[in-house]
Amino acid sequence: MDQQQAAICQWLDKNEHRAIRLLQKLVEQPSTQGNEAAAQAIVLEKCRQIGLSIDVWEPGGKKLVQHQHFSSTRTNFKESPNIAAVWKGSGGGKSLLFNGHIDVVPEGDPTQWVHDPYTPKFEDGKVYGRGTSDMKGGNAAMLMAIEALVKCRAELKGDLIFQSVIEEESGGAGTLDAILRGYRADGAIIPEPTKMKIFPKQQGSMWFKVAVRGKSAHGGTRYEGVSAIEKAMIVIRCFRELEKLRNVRITDPLYSATPIPVPINIGKISGGTWPSSVPDEVILEGRCGIAPDEQPEEVQKEVQEYLSRLPEHDSWFEEHPVSLQWFGARWLPNSLEPDHPLVKGLASSCRTVTGKDPVLEASPWGTDGGMLAAAGGIPTVVFGPGITETAHHPNEYIPIKNVMESAKIMALFALNWCRAD
Amino acid sequence: MDQQQAAICQWLDKNEHRAIRLLQKLVEQPSTQGNEAAAQAIVLEKCRQIGLSIDVWEPGGKKLVQHQHFSSTRTNFKESPNIAAVWKGSGGGKSLLFNGHIDVVPEGDPTQWVHDPYTPKFEDGKVYGRGTSDMKGGNAAMLMAIEALVKCRAELKGDLIFQSVIEEESGGAGTLDAILRGYRADGAIIPEPTKMKIFPKQQGSMWFKVAVRGKSAHGGTRYEGVSAIEKAMIVIRCFRELEKLRNVRITDPLYSATPIPVPINIGKISGGTWPSSVPDEVILEGRCGIAPDEQPEEVQKEVQEYLSRLPEHDSWFEEHPVSLQWFGARWLPNSLEPDHPLVKGLASSCRTVTGKDPVLEASPWGTDGGMLAAAGGIPTVVFGPGITETAHHPNEYIPIKNVMESAKIMALFALNWCRAD
């Protein structure tokens, strides 16, 4: 570690309490979809204090909603602002984008939380609350990293761009709109909750809905009907086989520690209307993983083709094929080779700060990285302080040690990256 | 056929058009649960024309709702009257009860009906509409049979009692209240839609609800969770096995033509809340048949014991047993031996009218026969003109030939039964 690197790390160590306070203030604002403005106001004030050039806008318009990669449950983003804040470099260097989302998923059943999800407690080195890991802890780390660079008078050639976007949890419309507004960079880091691992590759995912048909009858003469529930069991088994087939193909060592690299999850089932009638329809809803090197369209085709072979399992499906629909949210996959300068540089910064080699893996979920790559052509890596397992769960938390370490790593990486030509 | 029998049959043949009109008037009133009064008014007027002693009342009160056999989705029956109408015998003979329910199940999706369900058409010898088979056709047949006996000056010793009750489709609270009001008889016929077969035995049924637990996780790391949908598939298979086990025991020849004498039907399934989460709960709702000679309590015990062996199939159930609940409607089973005088006498009347031996079977569903037997100690047989398969279905119909034949059979049977000591 050279003198400037050491100064940056020391500044961050001394300002840990301010990182905690910033994170708590962000978590206090329940920035679920449509309610992002108050949390963005905290981000805005922090960017102003640091001295960045600020751009705030509400996403929207034809160009956005008609874009081939647009995916959201809404088309009106009024009162849901995006923020981009730039620290202009002296020129000639590589630019870097720090991208984080401000939206959080709903808190769910409040009785399952030990503390109120929006009254963040700091206990045993951890901050608890909705969005701490996913991903306000990552956002706080980015802002602290930039502040450290500014305060320690780092001289960057390339621009350092910070984004606090909406809509990641619904498919990335916030990040897409930032791209459409013109924001580009030579590389991007998204500090989603990777538990300090580096994810050069991220899987995408899509939602599907399958309608399985049966034939109604009175339950007392159920043999005169055909149970859509029993037929749905065959469809579910078929999805298990397809999942196996799709996953044996994945030989990427980044997935070697993952039991099922790109899962197909059946998340919802509903069917039948009356206990003593044979159910004549069952609806399955699920999520299909997209491998980092796959196109969503080819996966859709594979699923459709596989389901069209259901009559081989049960002749009922010959006359009553299931209907498949892709609906709701979609996250694009993303892939960088492990020897890409962005990955290698970030790994090197990890070693400088922690003294250890970082773990490289491929992600089990989608991020805005797929959008940055597909719509913006921006090489992106995912690396962040949050705890994967607590995201979307009650009693979500983040170790503040991770927040500070990731801030140091991102600051030192930006220092190198943006100084190079 | 003696002269009086022939006269009764001739009177009925001459009055077929009045039977059709009566049935149409009954069907025109949509007597779904809570809306029975207008249809009962038609019944009432018919009973008055025939000259019966009429008793009309709204069921209810502590004695009803706290009765061990009470089963209904409501406890208030205001504006839902029961009717009993008696043709008093000269004394000393056996009494006979004609019992029919006035409630119909809802019409369901109206687009699946060729004609409006409550504008009954008479076409090709059939009357179409909700409730024609289940069981306003049977009710019309009973009323026409009684009218024929009255008009042909039959002299009965025992009382002939007619009942038009509410709540059969919800578990028999109407019939139970008639019993509690004091109505008893030496035998009863219920003209539910048996397609002119005689059902000396009727299976009962009960509704159950099973909650199957899983463990939530993100769909992208579904291997960290436990899918309640997959565990529910094991529970469904377990119900199939139990159904097999329960049905191999049934050797009664009355069930020899029935593929599954007492089915267990899984009618509803629902679970999960989000396509990309592993579902942590699935609720199954179903209907369990009760064999004619079984007690509901012993069946409940058998199901509970069978489910408690789920850990033998999957160790998950050791720590996460399913929860079983009996809820909603329940129909008691009923059993008369084929050589019971009620059955033999009715079969003999069938032969007199049709010239053929009637088919004897056991029913695939519950009726108010279980209630008459269990709460009233009244030997009961089920025999009626309706078409089983069209009950509870769109485009329900009944052949008017069946209505008239069953009226003749019931009239001739009453003539014999009520004249004997």
PDB file of all heavy atoms in Angstrom, chain A residues 108-139:
ATOM      1  N   GLY A 108     -42.508  -7.409   3.994  1.00  0.00           N
ATOM      2  CA  GLY A 108     -43.231  -8.671   4.261  1.00  0.00           C
ATOM      3  C   GLY A 108     -43.923  -8.630   5.604  1.00  0.00           C
ATOM      4  O   GLY A 108     -44.274  -7.567   6.101  1.00  0.00           O
ATOM      5  N   ASP A 109     -44.092  -9.799   6.196  1.00  0.00           N
ATOM      6  CA  ASP A 109     -44.782  -9.944   7.483  1.00  0.00           C
ATOM      7  C   ASP A 109     -44.009  -9.222   8.590  1.00  0.00           C
ATOM      8  O   ASP A 109     -42.923  -9.655   8.974  1.00  0.00           O
ATOM      9  CB  ASP A 109     -44.888 -11.448   7.796  1.00  0.00           C
ATOM     10  CG  ASP A 109     -45.540 -11.720   9.132  1.00  0.00           C
ATOM     11  OD1 ASP A 109     -45.990 -10.755   9.789  1.00  0.00           O
ATOM     12  OD2 ASP A 109     -45.597 -12.895   9.524  1.00  0.00           O
ATOM     13  N   PRO A 110     -44.542  -8.107   9.123  1.00  0.00           N
ATOM     14  CA  PRO A 110     -43.780  -7.321  10.107  1.00  0.00           C
ATOM     15  C   PRO A 110     -43.519  -8.082  11.406  1.00  0.00           C
ATOM     16  O   PRO A 110     -42.557  -7.780  12.119  1.00  0.00           O
ATOM     17  CB  PRO A 110     -44.675  -6.096  10.366  1.00  0.00           C
ATOM     18  CG  PRO A 110     -46.033  -6.462   9.861  1.00  0.00           C
ATOM     19  CD  PRO A 110     -45.863  -7.516   8.831  1.00  0.00           C
ATOM     20  N   THR A 111     -44.346  -9.093  11.701  1.00  0.00           N
ATOM     21  CA  THR A 111     -44.151  -9.825  12.964  1.00  0.00           C
ATOM     22  C   THR A 111     -42.905 -10.699  12.926  1.00  0.00           C
ATOM     23  O   THR A 111     -42.446 -11.177  13.954  1.00  0.00           O
ATOM     24  CB  THR A 111     -45.371 -10.735  13.273  1.00  0.00           C
ATOM     25  OG1 THR A 111     -45.441 -11.766  12.266  1.00  0.00           O
ATOM     26  CG2 THR A 111     -46.674  -9.952  13.270  1.00  0.00           C
ATOM     27  N   GLN A 112     -42.358 -10.921  11.717  1.00  0.00           N
ATOM     28  CA  GLN A 112     -41.150 -11.739  11.631  1.00  0.00           C
ATOM     29  C   GLN A 112     -39.873 -10.923  11.869  1.00  0.00           C
ATOM     30  O   GLN A 112     -38.773 -11.477  11.902  1.00  0.00           O
ATOM     31  CB  GLN A 112     -41.078 -12.438  10.270  1.00  0.00           C
ATOM     32  CG  GLN A 112     -42.151 -13.507  10.119  1.00  0.00           C
ATOM     33  CD  GLN A 112     -41.873 -14.422   8.934  1.00  0.00           C
ATOM     34  OE1 GLN A 112     -40.728 -14.735   8.640  1.00  0.00           O
ATOM     35  NE2 GLN A 112     -42.920 -14.835   8.247  1.00  0.00           N
ATOM     36  N   TRP A 113     -40.023  -9.599  12.010  1.00  0.00           N
ATOM     37  CA  TRP A 113     -38.866  -8.742  12.264  1.00  0.00           C
ATOM     38  C   TRP A 113     -38.697  -8.543  13.769  1.00  0.00           C
ATOM     39  O   TRP A 113     -39.660  -8.239  14.473  1.00  0.00           O
ATOM     40  CB  TRP A 113     -39.076  -7.372  11.603  1.00  0.00           C
ATOM     41  CG  TRP A 113     -38.968  -7.394  10.108  1.00  0.00           C
ATOM     42  CD1 TRP A 113     -39.925  -7.787   9.218  1.00  0.00           C
ATOM     43  CD2 TRP A 113     -37.845  -6.980   9.323  1.00  0.00           C
ATOM     44  NE1 TRP A 113     -39.474  -7.655   7.925  1.00  0.00           N
ATOM     45  CE2 TRP A 113     -38.192  -7.151   7.955  1.00  0.00           C
ATOM     46  CE3 TRP A 113     -36.573  -6.488   9.624  1.00  0.00           C
ATOM     47  CZ2 TRP A 113     -37.320  -6.845   6.906  1.00  0.00           C
ATOM     48  CZ3 TRP A 113     -35.699  -6.173   8.582  1.00  0.00           C
ATOM     49  CH2 TRP A 113     -36.077  -6.361   7.239  1.00  0.00           C
ATOM     50  N   VAL A 114     -37.464  -8.694  14.254  1.00  0.00           N
ATOM     51  CA  VAL A 114     -37.175  -8.438  15.669  1.00  0.00           C
ATOM     52  C   VAL A 114     -37.278  -6.933  15.934  1.00  0.00           C
ATOM     53  O   VAL A 114     -37.901  -6.512  16.912  1.00  0.00           O
ATOM     54  CB  VAL A 114     -35.782  -8.978  16.047  1.00  0.00           C
ATOM     55  CG1 VAL A 114     -35.447  -8.602  17.484  1.00  0.00           C
ATOM     56  CG2 VAL A 114     -35.730 -10.494  15.851  1.00  0.00           C
ATOM     57  N   HIS A 115     -36.674  -6.125  15.076  1.00  0.00           N
ATOM     58  CA  HIS A 115     -36.792  -4.664  15.169  1.00  0.00           C
ATOM     59  C   HIS A 115     -37.624  -4.180  13.989  1.00  0.00           C
ATOM     60  O   HIS A 115     -37.723  -4.858  12.973  1.00  0.00           O
ATOM     61  CB  HIS A 115     -35.425  -3.985  15.091  1.00  0.00           C
ATOM     62  CG  HIS A 115     -34.464  -4.467  16.126  1.00  0.00           C
ATOM     63  ND1 HIS A 115     -34.698  -4.354  17.473  1.00  0.00           N
ATOM     64  CD2 HIS A 115     -33.259  -5.081  16.008  1.00  0.00           C
ATOM     65  CE1 HIS A 115     -33.678  -4.865  18.137  1.00  0.00           C
ATOM     66  NE2 HIS A 115     -32.795  -5.328  17.273  1.00  0.00           N
ATOM     67  N   ASP A 116     -38.166  -2.966  14.121  1.00  0.00           N
ATOM     68  CA  ASP A 116     -38.878  -2.367  13.001  1.00  0.00           C
ATOM     69  C   ASP A 116     -37.934  -2.285  11.795  1.00  0.00           C
ATOM     70  O   ASP A 116     -36.787  -1.851  11.925  1.00  0.00           O
ATOM     71  CB  ASP A 116     -39.354  -0.961  13.403  1.00  0.00           C
ATOM     72  CG  ASP A 116     -40.013  -0.263  12.237  1.00  0.00           C
ATOM     73  OD1 ASP A 116     -41.148  -0.615  11.911  1.00  0.00           O
ATOM     74  OD2 ASP A 116     -39.359   0.635  11.633  1.00  0.00           O
ATOM     75  N   PRO A 117     -38.389  -2.738  10.610  1.00  0.00           N
ATOM     76  CA  PRO A 117     -37.500  -2.800   9.440  1.00  0.00           C
ATOM     77  C   PRO A 117     -36.978  -1.434   8.987  1.00  0.00           C
ATOM     78  O   PRO A 117     -35.960  -1.374   8.290  1.00  0.00           O
ATOM     79  CB  PRO A 117     -38.380  -3.443   8.356  1.00  0.00           C
ATOM     80  CG  PRO A 117     -39.785  -3.402   8.853  1.00  0.00           C
ATOM     81  CD  PRO A 117     -39.712  -3.343  10.346  1.00  0.00           C
ATOM     82  N   TYR A 118     -37.658  -0.348   9.390  1.00  0.00           N
ATOM     83  CA  TYR A 118     -37.227   0.997   8.957  1.00  0.00           C
ATOM     84  C   TYR A 118     -36.719   1.850  10.124  1.00  0.00           C
ATOM     85  O   TYR A 118     -36.670   3.069  10.031  1.00  0.00           O
ATOM     86  CB  TYR A 118     -38.367   1.668   8.185  1.00  0.00           C
ATOM     87  CG  TYR A 118     -38.791   0.853   6.977  1.00  0.00           C
ATOM     88  CD1 TYR A 118     -40.045   0.235   6.915  1.00  0.00           C
ATOM     89  CD2 TYR A 118     -37.911   0.652   5.910  1.00  0.00           C
ATOM     90  CE1 TYR A 118     -40.422  -0.548   5.830  1.00  0.00           C
ATOM     91  CE2 TYR A 118     -38.278  -0.133   4.819  1.00  0.00           C
ATOM     92  CZ  TYR A 118     -39.523  -0.729   4.788  1.00  0.00           C
ATOM     93  OH  TYR A 118     -39.872  -1.502   3.707  1.00  0.00           O
ATOM     94  N   THR A 119     -36.386   1.180  11.253  1.00  0.00           N
ATOM     95  CA  THR A 119     -35.717   1.854  12.368  1.00  0.00           C
ATOM     96  C   THR A 119     -34.404   1.117  12.576  1.00  0.00           C
ATOM     97  O   THR A 119     -34.282   0.250  13.433  1.00  0.00           O
ATOM     98  CB  THR A 119     -36.590   1.790  13.644  1.00  0.00           C
ATOM     99  OG1 THR A 119     -37.909   2.252  13.321  1.00  0.00           O
ATOM    100  CG2 THR A 119     -36.014   2.657  14.760  1.00  0.00           C
ATOM    101  N   PRO A 120     -33.418   1.427  11.731  1.00  0.00           N
ATOM    102  CA  PRO A 120     -32.199   0.608  11.682  1.00  0.00           C
ATOM    103  C   PRO A 120     -31.386   0.648  12.979  1.00  0.00           C
ATOM    104  O   PRO A 120     -30.952   1.704  13.416  1.00  0.00           O
ATOM    105  CB  PRO A 120     -31.408   1.225  10.525  1.00  0.00           C
ATOM    106  CG  PRO A 120     -31.973   2.594  10.345  1.00  0.00           C
ATOM    107  CD  PRO A 120     -33.388   2.537  10.771  1.00  0.00           C
ATOM    108  N   LYS A 121     -31.194  -0.516  13.576  1.00  0.00           N
ATOM    109  CA  LYS A 121     -30.382  -0.657  14.793  1.00  0.00           C
ATOM    110  C   LYS A 121     -28.949  -0.993  14.388  1.00  0.00           C
ATOM    111  O   LYS A 121     -28.733  -1.741  13.441  1.00  0.00           O
ATOM    112  CB  LYS A 121     -30.902  -1.829  15.639  1.00  0.00           C
ATOM    113  CG  LYS A 121     -32.273  -1.630  16.216  1.00  0.00           C
ATOM    114  CD  LYS A 121     -32.204  -1.193  17.665  1.00  0.00           C
ATOM    115  CE  LYS A 121     -33.616  -1.017  18.197  1.00  0.00           C
ATOM    116  NZ  LYS A 121     -33.906   0.168  18.899  1.00  0.00           N
ATOM    117  N   PHE A 122     -27.970  -0.472  15.161  1.00  0.00           N
ATOM    118  CA  PHE A 122     -26.568  -0.878  14.998  1.00  0.00           C
ATOM    119  C   PHE A 122     -26.209  -1.710  16.215  1.00  0.00           C
ATOM    120  O   PHE A 122     -26.176  -1.208  17.338  1.00  0.00           O
ATOM    121  CB  PHE A 122     -25.668   0.356  14.881  1.00  0.00           C
ATOM    122  CG  PHE A 122     -24.210   0.012  14.721  1.00  0.00           C
ATOM    123  CD1 PHE A 122     -23.782  -0.926  13.778  1.00  0.00           C
ATOM    124  CD2 PHE A 122     -23.250   0.628  15.519  1.00  0.00           C
ATOM    125  CE1 PHE A 122     -22.433  -1.242  13.643  1.00  0.00           C
ATOM    126  CE2 PHE A 122     -21.895   0.321  15.384  1.00  0.00           C
ATOM    127  CZ  PHE A 122     -21.490  -0.619  14.445  1.00  0.00           C
ATOM    128  N   GLU A 123     -25.991  -2.991  16.019  1.00  0.00           N
ATOM    129  CA  GLU A 123     -25.790  -3.935  17.127  1.00  0.00           C
ATOM    130  C   GLU A 123     -24.756  -4.964  16.734  1.00  0.00           C
ATOM    131  O   GLU A 123     -24.841  -5.532  15.638  1.00  0.00           O
ATOM    132  CB  GLU A 123     -27.099  -4.693  17.397  1.00  0.00           C
ATOM    133  CG  GLU A 123     -27.837  -4.285  18.655  1.00  0.00           C
ATOM    134  CD  GLU A 123     -29.172  -5.042  18.780  1.00  0.00           C
ATOM    135  OE1 GLU A 123     -29.278  -6.178  18.280  1.00  0.00           O
ATOM    136  OE2 GLU A 123     -30.107  -4.467  19.367  1.00  0.00           O
ATOM    137  N   ASP A 124     -23.795  -5.239  17.607  1.00  0.00           N
ATOM    138  CA  ASP A 124     -22.776  -6.276  17.362  1.00  0.00           C
ATOM    139  C   ASP A 124     -22.098  -6.096  16.004  1.00  0.00           C
ATOM    140  O   ASP A 124     -21.864  -7.076  15.279  1.00  0.00           O
ATOM    141  CB  ASP A 124     -23.401  -7.677  17.418  1.00  0.00           C
ATOM    142  CG  ASP A 124     -24.050  -7.974  18.767  1.00  0.00           C
ATOM    143  OD1 ASP A 124     -23.547  -7.436  19.778  1.00  0.00           O
ATOM    144  OD2 ASP A 124     -25.052  -8.707  18.795  1.00  0.00           O
ATOM    145  N   GLY A 125     -21.849  -4.858  15.634  1.00  0.00           N
ATOM    146  CA  GLY A 125     -21.135  -4.606  14.382  1.00  0.00           C
ATOM    147  C   GLY A 125     -21.998  -4.704  13.141  1.00  0.00           C
ATOM    148  O   GLY A 125     -21.489  -4.662  12.023  1.00  0.00           O
ATOM    149  N   LYS A 126     -23.314  -4.874  13.327  1.00  0.00           N
ATOM    150  CA  LYS A 126     -24.194  -5.009  12.165  1.00  0.00           C
ATOM    151  C   LYS A 126     -25.288  -3.947  12.196  1.00  0.00           C
ATOM    152  O   LYS A 126     -25.785  -3.601  13.268  1.00  0.00           O
ATOM    153  CB  LYS A 126     -24.891  -6.379  12.168  1.00  0.00           C
ATOM    154  CG  LYS A 126     -23.966  -7.560  12.033  1.00  0.00           C
ATOM    155  CD  LYS A 126     -24.716  -8.846  12.372  1.00  0.00           C
ATOM    156  CE  LYS A 126     -23.766 -10.030  12.420  1.00  0.00           C
ATOM    157  NZ  LYS A 126     -24.295 -11.114  13.269  1.00  0.00           N
ATOM    158  N   VAL A 127     -25.662  -3.463  11.005  1.00  0.00           N
ATOM    159  CA  VAL A 127     -26.835  -2.602  10.917  1.00  0.00           C
ATOM    160  C   VAL A 127     -27.985  -3.447  10.387  1.00  0.00           C
ATOM    161  O   VAL A 127     -27.833  -4.151   9.378  1.00  0.00           O
ATOM    162  CB  VAL A 127     -26.590  -1.387   9.995  1.00  0.00           C
ATOM    163  CG1 VAL A 127     -27.852  -0.521   9.890  1.00  0.00           C
ATOM    164  CG2 VAL A 127     -25.428  -0.550  10.515  1.00  0.00           C
ATOM    165  N   TYR A 128     -29.109  -3.396  11.131  1.00  0.00           N
ATOM    166  CA  TYR A 128     -30.295  -4.178  10.760  1.00  0.00           C
ATOM    167  C   TYR A 128     -31.345  -3.305  10.100  1.00  0.00           C
ATOM    168  O   TYR A 128     -31.548  -2.160  10.521  1.00  0.00           O
ATOM    169  CB  TYR A 128     -30.920  -4.815  12.012  1.00  0.00           C
ATOM    170  CG  TYR A 128     -30.133  -5.965  12.568  1.00  0.00           C
ATOM    171  CD1 TYR A 128     -29.055  -5.733  13.431  1.00  0.00           C
ATOM    172  CD2 TYR A 128     -30.448  -7.272  12.235  1.00  0.00           C
ATOM    173  CE1 TYR A 128     -28.316  -6.790  13.948  1.00  0.00           C
ATOM    174  CE2 TYR A 128     -29.723  -8.339  12.740  1.00  0.00           C
ATOM    175  CZ  TYR A 128     -28.654  -8.088  13.593  1.00  0.00           C
ATOM    176  OH  TYR A 128     -27.928  -9.144  14.094  1.00  0.00           O
ATOM    177  N   GLY A 129     -32.047  -3.820   9.114  1.00  0.00           N
ATOM    178  CA  GLY A 129     -33.166  -3.097   8.508  1.00  0.00           C
ATOM    179  C   GLY A 129     -33.345  -3.474   7.055  1.00  0.00           C
ATOM    180  O   GLY A 129     -32.445  -4.041   6.418  1.00  0.00           O
ATOM    181  N   ARG A 130     -34.531  -3.197   6.522  1.00  0.00           N
ATOM    182  CA  ARG A 130     -34.834  -3.502   5.122  1.00  0.00           C
ATOM    183  C   ARG A 130     -33.936  -2.679   4.199  1.00  0.00           C
ATOM    184  O   ARG A 130     -33.887  -1.455   4.303  1.00  0.00           O
ATOM    185  CB  ARG A 130     -36.305  -3.215   4.810  1.00  0.00           C
ATOM    186  CG  ARG A 130     -36.681  -3.258   3.334  1.00  0.00           C
ATOM    187  CD  ARG A 130     -36.281  -4.554   2.615  1.00  0.00           C
ATOM    188  NE  ARG A 130     -37.184  -5.649   2.833  1.00  0.00           N
ATOM    189  CZ  ARG A 130     -36.763  -6.876   3.214  1.00  0.00           C
ATOM    190  NH1 ARG A 130     -35.469  -7.142   3.403  1.00  0.00           N
ATOM    191  NH2 ARG A 130     -37.627  -7.842   3.379  1.00  0.00           N
ATOM    192  N   GLY A 131     -33.197  -3.362   3.348  1.00  0.00           N
ATOM    193  CA  GLY A 131     -32.343  -2.704   2.381  1.00  0.00           C
ATOM    194  C   GLY A 131     -30.897  -2.545   2.840  1.00  0.00           C
ATOM    195  O   GLY A 131     -30.065  -2.069   2.064  1.00  0.00           O
ATOM    196  N   THR A 132     -30.558  -2.976   4.054  1.00  0.00           N
ATOM    197  CA  THR A 132     -29.169  -2.801   4.508  1.00  0.00           C
ATOM    198  C   THR A 132     -28.203  -3.548   3.582  1.00  0.00           C
ATOM    199  O   THR A 132     -27.202  -2.987   3.131  1.00  0.00           O
ATOM    200  CB  THR A 132     -28.997  -3.312   5.958  1.00  0.00           C
ATOM    201  OG1 THR A 132     -29.640  -4.575   6.088  1.00  0.00           O
ATOM    202  CG2 THR A 132     -29.590  -2.318   6.949  1.00  0.00           C
ATOM    203  N   SER A 133     -28.544  -4.832   3.286  1.00  0.00           N
ATOM    204  CA  SER A 133     -27.670  -5.622   2.408  1.00  0.00           C
ATOM    205  C   SER A 133     -28.003  -5.372   0.937  1.00  0.00           C
ATOM    206  O   SER A 133     -27.119  -5.368   0.093  1.00  0.00           O
ATOM    207  CB  SER A 133     -27.815  -7.124   2.726  1.00  0.00           C
ATOM    208  OG  SER A 133     -26.757  -7.546   3.565  1.00  0.00           O
ATOM    209  N   ASP A 134     -29.275  -5.182   0.646  1.00  0.00           N
ATOM    210  CA  ASP A 134     -29.742  -5.096  -0.748  1.00  0.00           C
ATOM    211  C   ASP A 134     -30.471  -3.779  -0.954  1.00  0.00           C
ATOM    212  O   ASP A 134     -31.686  -3.737  -0.899  1.00  0.00           O
ATOM    213  CB  ASP A 134     -30.625  -6.303  -1.041  1.00  0.00           C
ATOM    214  CG  ASP A 134     -31.058  -6.400  -2.495  1.00  0.00           C
ATOM    215  OD1 ASP A 134     -30.504  -5.672  -3.334  1.00  0.00           O
ATOM    216  OD2 ASP A 134     -31.959  -7.208  -2.790  1.00  0.00           O
ATOM    217  N   MET A 135     -29.723  -2.703  -1.318  1.00  0.00           N
ATOM    218  CA  MET A 135     -28.285  -2.605  -1.298  1.00  0.00           C
ATOM    219  C   MET A 135     -27.830  -1.239  -0.833  1.00  0.00           C
ATOM    220  O   MET A 135     -26.888  -0.668  -1.353  1.00  0.00           O
ATOM    221  CB  MET A 135     -27.682  -2.953  -2.678  1.00  0.00           C
ATOM    222  CG  MET A 135     -28.190  -2.043  -3.802  1.00  0.00           C
ATOM    223  SD  MET A 135     -27.317  -2.361  -5.384  1.00  0.00           S
ATOM    224  CE  MET A 135     -25.724  -1.536  -5.102  1.00  0.00           C
ATOM    225  N   LYS A 136     -28.505  -0.741   0.226  1.00  0.00           N
ATOM    226  CA  LYS A 136     -28.122   0.577   0.723  1.00  0.00           C
ATOM    227  C   LYS A 136     -26.754   0.568   1.391  1.00  0.00           C
ATOM    228  O   LYS A 136     -26.063   1.584   1.423  1.00  0.00           O
ATOM    229  CB  LYS A 136     -29.210   1.111   1.657  1.00  0.00           C
ATOM    230  CG  LYS A 136     -30.480   1.493   0.883  1.00  0.00           C
ATOM    231  CD  LYS A 136     -31.658   1.873   1.758  1.00  0.00           C
ATOM    232  CE  LYS A 136     -32.811   2.378   0.881  1.00  0.00           C
ATOM    233  NZ  LYS A 136     -34.025   2.670   1.684  1.00  0.00           N
ATOM    234  N   GLY A 137     -26.339  -0.618   1.912  1.00  0.00           N
ATOM    235  CA  GLY A 137     -24.988  -0.736   2.459  1.00  0.00           C
ATOM    236  C   GLY A 137     -23.953  -0.549   1.355  1.00  0.00           C
ATOM    237  O   GLY A 137     -22.932   0.125   1.539  1.00  0.00           O
ATOM    238  N   GLY A 138     -24.227  -1.121   0.188  1.00  0.00           N
ATOM    239  CA  GLY A 138     -23.347  -0.950  -0.972  1.00  0.00           C
ATOM    240  C   GLY A 138     -23.335   0.492  -1.454  1.00  0.00           C
ATOM    241  O   GLY A 138     -22.280   1.043  -1.806  1.00  0.00           O
ATOM    242  N   ASN A 139     -24.514   1.132  -1.422  1.00  0.00           N
ATOM    243  CA  ASN A 139     -24.606   2.535  -1.844  1.00  0.00           C
ATOM    244  C   ASN A 139     -23.806   3.431  -0.895  1.00  0.00           C
ATOM    245  O   ASN A 139     -23.072   4.335  -1.334  1.00  0.00           O
ATOM    246  CB  ASN A 139     -26.066   2.994  -1.851  1.00  0.00           C
ATOM    247  CG  ASN A 139     -26.894   2.257  -2.888  1.00  0.00           C
ATOM    248  OD1 ASN A 139     -26.342   1.607  -3.784  1.00  0.00           O
ATOM    249  ND2 ASN A 139     -28.212   2.329  -2.768  1.00  0.00           N
TER     250      ASN A 139
END
